[in-house]
Amino acid sequence: MGKTIRLTMAQAVAHFLTKQMTVIDGKTVPIFGGVWAIFGHGNVAGMGEALYQVRETLPTFRAHNEQGMAHAAIAYAKTSFRQRFMACTTSIGPGALNMVTAAGVAHVNRIPVLFLPGDVFANRAPDPVLQQIEDFGDGTVSANDAFRSVSRYFDRITRPEQIITALKRAMQVLTDPLDCGPVTLALCQDVQAEAFDYPENFFDEHVWTHRRPQPDADELAHAIALIRKSQRPVIIAGGGVLYSQATKELTSFAETHGIPVVVTQAGKSAINETHPLALGSVGVTGTSAANAIAEDTDLVIAVGTRCQDFTTGSWALFKNEKLEMIGLNIAAYDAAKHDSHPLVTDAREGLKALSSGLLGWRAPTVLTERATREKKVWMEAAAKAMANTNAALPSDAQVIGAVARTIGGENTIVLCAAGGLPGELHKLWPATAPGSYHMEYGFSCMGYELAGGLGAKMARPDKDVVVMVGDGSYMMLNSEIATSVMLGLKLNVILLDNRGYGCINRLQMGTGGANFNNLLKDSLHEVMPEIDFRAHAESMGAIAVKVASIAELEQAIEASRKNDRTSVFVIDTDPLITTDEGGHWWDVAVPEVSPRKQVNEAHKAYIAARAAQRIV
C-alpha cells in the first residue's frame, strides 16, 4: 500500500485542498482561493480544527450569512473565469440549507464551488441530533438531500476512507469545462472526527489544466458549409466565450469574416463594445441595433450560450423563416438545443477551426453597412437615456450614466444581479474589457449583489468593483458589507431606492395587473417604512452618503476615491422609467379570463405576440 499518514477525515479534506493547483499566466498557484466558513456544532470540531491547521496555506474567511458567503465564492470563481474557486463549510440544518439557493445560482450558471455542509451522525447513536430533519419514511434522508437537484455531483461521506474517491471525483467535476458546477460533499459530523491511515500520495500536489476539446470533423464541415451559404449571419456570444478566454479569437473571427456580434447577459464584455461590429445586448433587454440584425438573420452562430428566453425574446425575436442555428458549445446538451446544428467544442478552438475553414469568405458588405447604421442610431439613443439630468427622481439609466462617467473604464468591474437594473445595464453599460461586466442573470438571484461584489474583489483586488443594487435586493441580503470592511476589501455600492420591487411592478402593469404588493405604497401597511439606508450601511462600517441628484452622485463618487473602505451611495430613483429604445417581447402568461378589463386587453395582446413565437 505504501506510506500512510493518520488524519481525521476533516484533516484529510483540508490537506487535500491545499495541494490542488492550477496554472495562470504561466504561474502555478493554488486552485482554491480559500474556504468560507460559518461554524456550528456540525462542523466546528471537525472541519474547524482541520482548517485551523492549514490556515497559513488555505485561508478561512468568516461571513455573516451562509447564502452570502456562497454567493461570494460563486462570484470569485466567475470573476476568475472558472480557473480558481472556493469551498464553503457550514453546520448541519439551517446553515446548510441557507446555501441551497446559492447552489442553484452556481448550477444554473455552470460555476464551480465546493459545498461541505455538516451532516447527521453516521453511527446514528445520538439520533436524532440537533437540527436534524427526519423523513418519516426514509432513514437515510437529511437536510442535505436538498442539494441533490442543484449539484453536479453529490456524495454523503459515512466512512473516513470514502473521502478519497469523493474528493477526486469532486475535483474532476469542478475543473471539467463540460460538467463544471457545484459539488456537495455532505460530511457526517462524527466521521469528520474519525481517523484513517490515508496514503501519502493522496496528498501529492496535483496541477489541473484547462481541457479544450477539438471539434468533430463532420460537425465542423457542416457548420462551415452553413456559414458559407448564409447572407445575414450573426454571432451570439455567451459566457462560454469568457470562460474559454476566447475573446481575442471572437473579435478576430468577427473582423475576418465581417459578422456582427451580439451578446447575452453572461457574454457581455466578450467583445469590446466600442468595436464597430459589436452591437451590444440581444433579446428582451437588447439594443435596437442587435435586435434589428437578429430579427432578419438567416444564421445564428451561438457561441458558448444556452440561448435562454431572455436571449431569444422567448423565441419570437428571429423572424426569418429560413433561419438556421449553429450551436458552438462545449456541452452537447446546449449545442443541440432548439434544433441547432451542434458543433461540440471549446469556444476558442471552435472559433479558430471555423475561421481556418472559412479562409477567404466574408459576409456580404451590406450586412456590415447595416450594422454600422443600426449601431449609430442605438448609440445616440443610449447617450440620450444616460444623459445628465436635474430630475428629482432620475431613472436607472441616468444613474448608470453617472457611474460610467465617473468610475467606468477597463479597471472597473460593474456587478449586479436582479430587478430592473440588469436590463438597463445589459443595454447601456459600456463594457470594454473581458470580465468588466459581471451579471448573475442565469438565476437572477436577489441578494447576490453585495456578497458577489465581495467575491469579485477577492478575485481581482486590483480592480474597482462597482455594485449596483436596488433597495429590494439590498434588503434581502446586505450583511457582507460588514465582511468587506472587516477584510479591507473596498466596494463601491450604488444603492438605487425606488421604494419597492420596481421591475416586477412594471411587469405587473404591462400584463394588465393592478399595482399590487410590489411598491411599498401598494402593499398592505399601517405605516410606510422609512428606511435610512445611509445610516444602515454606516452601522456596518461603510462610508455612506445620501445624494439628492445625479450631479451630487458624480461628486460623491469622485470624492470617494480617497476612502479606505467600502463606500455606499444612496439615491432615490423613479420606479417607472425605463429606456424605451431596444428591448423585445417576453413570454409572461396573462390570465385568459378576468373581471378586469385591463387584464383581458393584455391577454389579447399576449395572444397576438405569441403568434410570432417559434416552436422548436
Side-chain angles (χ1 to χ4, degrees):
M1 180 178 178
K3 292 183 179 180
T4 62
I5 178 171
R6 191 162 182 81
L7 297 170
T8 68
M9 183 266 279
Q11 290 165 358
V13 171
H15 283 280
F16 178 88
L17 297 187
T18 67
K19 298 299 183 180
Q20 308 310 301
M21 302 289 169
T22 190
V23 178
I24 298 178
D25 296 331
K27 182 180 179 181
T28 300
V29 297
I31 202 166
F32 281 95
V35 179
W36 285 98
I38 293 181
F39 294 128
H41 70 92
N43 70 336
V44 67
M47 284 302 302
E49 170 62 18
L51 290 171
Y52 176 80
Q53 294 174 11
V54 299
R55 64 192 183 282
E56 299 299 330
T57 52
L58 182 68
T60 295
F61 304 103
R62 182 197 179 282
H64 294 279
N65 178 285
E66 293 90 354
Q67 181 179 335
M69 73 183 192
H71 284 326
I74 292 164
Y76 178 92
K78 181 179 174 69
T79 304
S80 302
F81 300 136
R82 304 195 307 193
Q83 292 182 290
R84 301 186 73 203
F85 37 79
M86 289 180 156
C88 299
T89 181
T90 67
S91 187
I92 181 179
L97 288 179
N98 279 348
M99 294 196 299
V100 172
T101 297
V105 171
H107 192 281
V108 170
N109 290 288
R110 323 291 171 85
I111 302 296
V113 59
L114 177 60
F115 294 111
L116 300 170
D119 210 312
V120 298
F121 272 65
N123 65 26
R124 302 192 186 181
D127 188 57
V129 297
L130 177 67
Q131 298 182 324
Q132 179 177 345
I133 290 178
E134 295 181 88
D135 186 310
F136 294 174
D138 188 343
T140 67
V141 168
S142 81
N144 287 327
D145 286 274
F147 282 94
R148 291 183 182 272
S149 65
V150 286
S151 297
R152 290 287 183 181
Y153 177 69
F154 176 92
D155 201 352
R156 177 174 285 112
I157 309 305
T158 59
R159 292 180 58 87
E161 62 267 36
Q162 292 173 352
I163 201 66
I164 297 175
T165 54
L167 281 172
K168 289 179 178 179
R169 176 61 181 140
M171 289 305 302
Q172 290 169 358
V173 173
L174 292 167
T175 59
D176 190 287
L178 168 59
D179 289 335
C180 188
V183 170
T184 301
L185 302 182
L187 308 180
C188 289
Q189 52 193 290
D190 53 338
V191 181
Q192 289 180 41
E194 291 179 10
F196 182 77
D197 294 319
Y198 291 94
E200 277 193 353
N201 60 14
F202 179 57
F203 305 105
D204 288 346
E205 184 174 291
H206 187 115
V207 179
W208 299 87
T209 56
H210 191 89
R211 185 184 300 117
R212 294 188 181 277
Q214 301 294 315
D216 173 79
D218 290 339
E219 289 184 352
L220 177 62
H222 185 54
I224 291 170
L226 287 172
I227 296 172
R228 282 189 176 277
K229 74 174 185 179
S230 65
Q231 295 296 305
R232 294 186 294 278
V234 66
I235 299 166
I236 298 181
V241 176
L242 291 164
Y243 298 141
S244 176
Q245 298 182 73
T247 54
K248 290 182 180 178
E249 287 74 15
L250 172 68
T251 302
S252 175
F253 182 83
E255 289 175 343
T256 301
H257 306 293
I259 305 176
V261 179
V262 302
V263 294
T264 68
Q265 281 281 18
K268 191 175 171 78
S269 81
I271 187 170
N272 185 328
E273 294 197 351
T274 64
H275 194 285
L277 288 170
L279 302 186
S281 59
V282 67
V284 176
T285 53
T287 70
S288 60
N291 284 351
I293 295 298
E295 283 190 357
D296 290 343
T297 186
D298 59 357
L299 178 67
V300 168
I301 306 170
V303 185
T305 173
R306 59 197 179 102
C307 288
Q308 52 103 302
D309 64 340
F310 252 66
T311 299
T312 66
S314 296
W315 288 100
L317 173 60
F318 310 113
K319 302 294 194 296
N320 193 323
E321 292 184 0
K322 296 181 180 180
L323 176 72
E324 300 273 11
M325 295 187 67
I326 295 171
L328 194 166
N329 204 294
I330 202 162
Y333 181 85
D334 293 321
K337 281 179 178 173
H338 311 294
D339 284 343
S340 295
H341 301 276
L343 182 58
V344 180
T345 181
D346 169 74
R348 181 192 291 182
E349 298 305 311
L351 287 168
K352 289 195 295 187
L354 279 176
S355 195
S356 178
L358 290 168
L359 188 64
W361 180 88
R362 283 183 62 86
T365 305
V366 65
L367 177 64
T368 53
E369 290 175 346
R370 185 186 177 195
T372 300
R373 293 194 304 271
E374 297 287 0
K375 182 168 185 175
K376 182 176 184 296
V377 171
W378 165 251
M379 293 305 293
E380 291 172 353
K384 181 179 178 181
M386 293 191 293
N388 210 331
T389 179
N390 293 320
L393 291 177
S395 68
D396 290 355
Q398 289 161 340
V399 173
I400 291 169
V403 176
R405 287 190 293 272
T406 52
I407 199 172
E410 292 191 2
N411 197 53
T412 295
I413 297 174
V414 65
L415 186 146
C416 190
L421 275 169
E424 296 291 71
L425 284 164
H426 195 206
K427 285 183 181 180
L428 301 169
W429 185 261
T432 56
S436 61
Y437 179 87
H438 182 128
M439 188 65 59
E440 193 295 285
Y441 213 64
F443 216 42
S444 187
C445 185
M446 295 183 72
Y448 175 89
E449 294 92 340
L450 292 160
L454 174 59
K457 185 67 174 179
M458 295 176 84
R460 294 301 306 269
D462 58 315
K463 298 290 185 180
D464 291 321
V465 176
V466 175
V467 175
M468 298 200 68
V469 60
D471 57 300
S473 202
Y474 179 94
M475 289 294 288
M476 285 196 177
L477 213 170
N478 51 57
S479 54
E480 303 320 327
I481 284 180
T483 309
S484 74
V485 174
M486 179 174 70
L487 294 176
L489 296 168
K490 180 184 175 182
L491 306 178
N492 303 281
V493 181
I494 315 298
L495 201 171
L496 294 81
D497 183 7
N498 61 18
R499 294 154 302 284
Y501 304 138
C503 173
I504 298 302
N505 184 73
R506 294 192 297 272
L507 179 61
Q508 187 174 51
M509 295 170 62
T511 54
N515 292 329
F516 173 62
N517 205 52
N518 283 312
L519 298 182
L520 293 173
K521 68 181 181 63
D522 300 322
S523 305
L524 184 63
H525 62 273
E526 293 294 328
V527 178
M528 278 291 293
E530 296 292 338
I531 303 165
D532 189 338
F533 290 108
R534 180 199 59 77
H536 182 268
E538 283 185 342
S539 74
M540 290 188 285
I543 298 172
V545 60
K546 174 73 179 285
V547 300
S549 67
I550 291 295
E552 283 190 21
L553 175 61
E554 294 190 20
Q555 292 167 7
I557 293 174
E558 287 289 354
S560 75
R561 294 185 185 278
K562 67 179 184 297
N563 293 351
D564 61 355
R565 60 187 184 274
T566 291
S567 303
V568 179
F569 311 89
V570 184
I571 184 168
D572 292 337
T573 57
D574 193 309
L576 300 180
I577 302 174
T578 59
T579 303
D580 291 330
E581 292 79 7
H584 194 272
W585 176 76
W586 185 36
D587 193 340
V588 178
V590 179
E592 192 170 349
V593 294
S594 171
R596 299 183 62 250
K597 178 182 177 182
Q598 298 95 319
V599 175
N600 293 325
E601 290 177 348
H603 182 261
K604 291 179 182 177
Y606 171 69
I607 295 300
R610 277 184 59 185
Q613 199 171 39
R614 302 170 66 90
I615 305 299
V616 293

